[in-house]
Amino acid sequence: MIKTSIIITLLAIATSYLLLTPTKKSSYYHSLFISNSLSDNVSVSNNLKVLTHRPHIAGSEANNEAAAYVVSILTSSNIPTHVTSYDVALAYPFSRSLVLTNSSTESSFSFNLRQESYEGDPYADVIDEVVPTFHAYAKSGTAIGYVVYANYGRVEDYLKLKEMGINVSNTVVLAKYGKVYRGDIVKNAYNEGAIGVVIYSDKKDNGGSDEAKWFPNEKWLPPSGVQIGGVYSRVGDPTTPGWASCGECERLSMDEVEKGGDVPLIPSLPVSGEDGEKIIRSIGGPVAEDDWQGSKDAPTYRVGPGPGILNLSYTGQQVIATIQNVIGVIEGAEEPDRFVILGNHRDAWTFGAVDPNSGTAALLEVAQRLGKLQKKGWKPRRTIILCNWDAEEYGIIGSTEWVEENREILASRTVAYLNVDSAVGGPGFRASATPQLEELIIKATQKVKDPDNSSQSIYDSWTDSNSSPQFGRLGGRVSDYAPFLQHVGIPAADIAFGKGYPVYHSQYDDFVWMTKFGDPVFQRHVAAASVWGLVALWLADEEFLPFNYSSYAKELQVTLDGDLIKHCS
């Protein structure tokens, strides 16, 4: 009897103690997540260095090694992780050639189509692993014709050429990168009757007028730098539109893909600014308008046709290759069937220090901090899923196949998808989102210090203290948010530091460029991870989802008013 009374008394004391002792609230863990005690710019730097030590195009051994590294970091952070593979149609260059002939002198010049290594390049021993410059899913074939210069290759540029009396039919178009998607440049040229397209990186748009201003001395694209990229106009595996590329699934042939209008019907090649300028010098005819001209030390840009003749030949190799998405899951304690998804892609055309592995390094930083929170007792209310996608560069393939395979469960259970692609390309925070997520992003930027000025928040620098934060809208096929938002209707956001960078999709997008120009002390990476993870934590932990639909209503009203004005005018 005495023993029983003692036990009851002890239980009563313990119960009262538990009632009087507050448990740690979610806000405690959220503040801890962005604290200096958990963030680690050295770890971020190390992760990026490992991820970018070799070129790792989708379908390559090097990219599979990068996937294994991501798995190792997630699992070491106590995050159960698995790999989801798909067999998808990818394209690689088999042969390429480009010859310029002066029709009046019959002299010819064959371009080497190579990006040159720079002095002291620490990656010179793996440069041969960089894929030869090409356009993924470009049409195989040969085009021989007079050159016409078409500025950026936009619809309005061809209207200007028509005003000048220039006929593009049966010519090879030379166009600059910029303003529009490269696939649209090729498609627009085809619609105007061109038989081939060469796209180059103009020095005026990529900076530098002498050797001192090129990478590795400055941030600008070297003369031999080339922007590699795809020309496919949809998302997902081209041979399985609308369904996942699983097992022995049904596939379209590439002839059927071509008939669908989703890949170009004329051959194209990307070339450097140096090569583009040489072609420009071969073109006669009317002088192009002032805003079509190049930098101060460039030759006069004329529109042609000719007398320069280009002989463009390209043969691509279409293969079914295995890609690997890495998926890490932290199961929710109270609502495990509701998902907050964070995503970034891993594959790169070359080394990918900015695009996309600055984002991968930020994702791993988020994962490592979440692992530390778990050790301190935190458990999310809802499930957090960390996704590292493959084959994004080819046409947002890895994420699209995953969404297509899991469409119903994602549509019914996903709270939001938070994307980071190129997390850091320079200073300046930017964000795009569906409107109900805007307030959360604003709130997060108010709590995270500006990586370039610790005396103020990211929000302060973003708004410059005199304006409202400017959000972009998520449209087109820009990154991995596309299948979530546009195919399934899931709220989505995309954040980054920096807008554009000169060595985009070239072999100079390496760890050296990042440490010298993108983020020398890796504080921008840390800040990107803080904002990204904090928004995810609020969505995962708040009892009531912290969406603000008044922002959505306002946006709809603005759009409606704009449409009415257009209609009335």
Side-chain angles (χ1 to χ4, degrees), residues 54-58 90-93 115 129-132 134-137 181-182 226-231 345-352 355-357 391-395 504-507 509:
R54 291 173 64 189
H56 49 286
I57 192 172
L90 300 181
Y92 303 97
Q115 301 185 80
E129 295 181 27
V130 174
V131 64
F134 82 120
H135 285 150
Y137 304 116
Y181 173 56
R182 70 184 71 81
V226 178
Q227 182 189 135
I228 304 169
V231 289
H345 77 95
R346 179 185 67 258
D347 66 294
W349 289 120
T350 63
F351 295 96
D355 182 11
N357 297 126
E392 186 271 356
E393 296 291 6
Y394 275 86
Y504 175 70
H505 282 194
S506 75
Q507 79 176 29
D509 181 7

Side-chain angles (χ1 to χ4, degrees), residues 162-238:
K162 288 178 181 177
E163 289 177 9
M164 299 174 70
I166 305 301
N167 184 1
V168 179
S169 295
N170 296 314
T171 67
V172 176
V173 163
L174 177 70
K176 298 181 290 190
Y177 272 117
K179 310 299 182 183
V180 294
Y181 173 56
R182 70 184 71 81
D184 290 336
I185 296 175
V186 182
K187 188 173 185 178
N188 292 341
Y190 170 77
N191 290 340
E192 296 297 326
I195 57 174
V197 181
V198 173
I199 309 178
Y200 76 104
S201 301
D202 193 279
K203 186 163 55 178
K204 182 178 180 180
D205 296 323
N206 293 276
S209 58
D210 55 62
E211 188 173 359
K213 292 187 179 181
W214 302 327
F215 180 70
N217 298 312
E218 294 291 344
K219 68 179 181 178
W220 307 110
L221 184 70
S224 69
V226 178
Q227 182 189 135
I228 304 169
V231 289
Y232 173 48
S233 63
R234 293 185 62 175
V235 301
D237 183 345

Side-chain angles (χ1 to χ4, degrees), residues 42-52 69 73 357 360-361 364-365 368:
V42 174
S43 177
V44 172
S45 173
N46 289 338
N47 286 335
L48 183 62
K49 189 172 185 178
V50 172
L51 288 164
T52 60
Y69 182 75
I73 297 297
N357 297 126
T360 313
L364 297 183
E365 168 71 3
Q368 290 172 312

Side-chain angles (χ1 to χ4, degrees), residues 434-567:
T434 49
Q436 73 270 54
L437 292 172
E438 289 182 1
E439 189 173 292
L440 279 179
I441 296 172
I442 289 172
K443 182 180 174 184
T445 59
Q446 290 171 335
K447 291 186 175 293
V448 178
K449 288 183 179 180
D450 180 356
D452 296 300
N453 184 355
S454 59
S455 66
Q456 64 182 14
S457 68
I458 292 174
Y459 179 83
D460 294 330
S461 61
W462 185 17
T463 59
D464 198 25
S465 303
N466 296 315
S467 61
S468 299
Q470 297 297 308
F471 283 89
R473 292 294 168 235
L474 300 171
R477 49 190 177 273
V478 178
S479 190
D480 288 297
Y481 58 75
F484 290 90
L485 175 63
Q486 297 162 10
H487 293 189
V488 192
I490 293 170
D494 185 82
I495 66 168
F497 279 91
K499 184 177 182 180
Y501 64 104
V503 297
Y504 175 70
H505 282 194
S506 75
Q507 79 176 29
Y508 308 104
D509 181 7
D510 63 15
F511 188 74
V512 175
W513 190 93
M514 179 61 75
T515 56
K516 294 183 73 170
F517 307 113
D519 192 11
V521 293
F522 286 85
Q523 292 295 355
R524 293 168 188 159
H525 285 76
V526 169
S530 293
V531 173
W532 194 9
L534 193 54
V535 172
L537 284 170
W538 287 332
L539 289 168
D541 287 342
E542 295 296 325
E543 183 176 359
F544 299 102
L545 288 174
F547 289 148
N548 182 352
Y549 280 100
S550 62
S551 297
Y552 220 119
K554 181 180 178 180
E555 183 73 12
L556 290 172
Q557 187 62 55
V558 169
T559 303
L560 178 61
D561 291 344
D563 288 343
L564 286 173
I565 291 172
K566 289 180 182 178
H567 180 73

Side-chain angles (χ1 to χ4, degrees), residues 18 33 55 109 150 165 175 261 264 299 331 364 395 439 508 532 569:
L18 289 171
F33 178 83
F109 177 84
E331 188 173 354
L364 297 183
E439 189 173 292
Y508 308 104
W532 194 9
S569 61

Side-chain angles (χ1 to χ4, degrees), residues 62-94:
N63 199 37
N64 292 340
E65 290 177 0
Y69 182 75
V70 172
V71 170
S72 70
I73 297 297
L74 293 181
T75 54
S76 67
S77 301
N78 195 33
I79 299 174
T81 303
H82 64 276
V83 172
T84 301
S85 298
Y86 299 97
D87 295 327
V88 302
L90 300 181
Y92 303 97
F94 180 76

